[in-house]
Amino acid sequence: MPVTTSPSEALPAHVAIVMDGNGRWAEARGLSRSEGHRAGLEATRHAVRFFAEQGVGTLTLFAFSSENWGRPREEVEALFDLFVSAIEAELPELIERGIALTFIGDRASFPSDLQTRIAEAEQASVANEGMRVVVALGYGGRWDILQAARRWVAAGDEGANPETSFAGYLSTAGMPDVDLLIRTGGERRISNFLLWQAAYAELLFIETFWPDITADDLRQGLAWYASRQRRFGCVTGAAEASAREVPSA
């Protein structure tokens, strides 16, 4: 595990985004919350293109949390319709750009047409070797840890490194941990998102509502990340000096 990250090495391998503020953006304009979600989809399209062009390997987007089931039925149904149409509309460009699309979360309660579109999109893009876009739908960090724990215990797979072994049962198995977690909309919490995976993520909170996010905002976020020293609990210098010590004969 690295002790520090210099600006020259500071492109995050995994960016995660809580795309917050769609509803408040719409309400401020006298529009329905559904209109806000549609505007947020346009921002998402631009964000995917931006991070792919920057060379980020994994981008995880929090689209629908396990707690979002508590929203008004009309809003939830409108979101599911939007997800179906978005997959159909965006998949051809994602495939053309070599982007792999993955969905994480408990999808069992989704409408059958959405479940079908999810499975088709994953299969159609599985061989792509560009950026991986991970869409969290029906996802909660606690749910993820609990389902992983049940599977891990059932498999009896403690291994030589239990922490590494356990991570292989999370919904993000095989993906790097989150380096940079961004939340828009002015709130300062991660809301049950990637709790295990974001243990050492740099947290960036942006006041701007998601539909108004621009490439400049995201570029500034990457610059802020590049300025950070990531010590992972170590002390800069001390750990490096220790690594250089040569044992006496």
Side-chain angles (χ1 to χ4, degrees):
M1 180 177 291
V3 176
T4 61
T5 301
S6 67
S8 63
E9 302 169 332
L11 181 70
H14 188 169
V15 176
I17 306 179
V18 181
M19 306 178 293
D20 195 18
N22 292 343
R24 286 174 287 159
W25 179 92
E27 290 167 356
R29 290 161 175 76
L31 303 172
S32 69
R33 291 178 61 86
S34 296
E35 288 296 329
H37 294 309
R38 276 189 279 273
L41 176 59
E42 184 66 20
T44 302
R45 181 181 297 114
H46 292 308
V48 169
R49 291 173 182 168
F50 171 82
F51 285 114
E53 290 167 358
Q54 299 303 307
V56 169
T58 303
L59 174 66
T60 300
L61 305 169
F62 206 7
F64 187 84
S65 75
S66 52
E67 290 76 25
N68 287 159
W69 286 105
R71 292 188 176 187
R73 179 179 177 182
E74 295 79 8
E75 181 178 353
V76 172
E77 291 178 347
L79 274 171
F80 287 158
D81 289 342
L82 182 62
F83 294 151
V84 171
S85 61
I87 293 171
E88 293 176 345
E90 303 303 325
L91 186 59
E93 180 178 343
L94 294 177
I95 292 176
E96 182 179 347
R97 288 175 175 265
I99 294 173
L101 190 59
T102 299
F103 293 82
I104 60 174
D106 185 2
R107 64 184 75 173
S109 298
F110 292 166
S112 58
D113 58 339
L114 177 55
Q115 292 190 47
T116 298
R117 294 298 185 280
I118 287 172
E120 291 174 347
E122 289 180 323
Q123 181 60 36
S125 64
V126 67
N128 290 353
E129 297 181 351
M131 183 173 73
R132 178 183 296 276
V133 174
V134 183
V135 182
L137 288 179
Y139 178 87
R142 291 178 175 176
W143 165 85
D144 197 4
I145 292 170
L146 284 172
Q147 65 86 25
R150 293 189 183 104
R151 294 166 57 207
W152 185 60
V153 170
D157 184 22
E158 184 170 316
N161 186 327
E163 184 174 319
T164 300
S165 170
F166 180 82
Y169 291 87
L170 294 166
S171 59
T172 54
M175 303 178 201
D177 282 346
V178 177
D179 294 310
L180 173 62
L181 191 153
I182 300 171
R183 180 172 186 148
T184 64
E187 301 293 350
R188 284 164 171 76
R189 55 180 178 269
I190 63 174
S191 296
N192 196 23
F193 185 40
L194 299 174
L195 297 179
W196 178 283
Q197 300 88 336
Y200 272 99
E202 300 295 323
L203 307 180
L204 178 61
F205 300 105
I206 300 175
E207 296 294 326
T208 306
F209 293 147
W210 179 246
D212 287 332
I213 283 292
T214 66
D216 282 343
D217 295 321
L218 300 177
R219 191 172 291 107
Q220 290 174 25
L222 290 182
W224 174 84
Y225 175 85
S227 73
R228 302 291 297 164
Q229 282 195 329
R230 307 187 70 207
R231 292 181 290 272
F232 299 94
C234 298
V235 177
T236 303
E240 294 171 332
S242 176
R244 290 194 298 268
E245 289 181 358
V246 178
S248 57

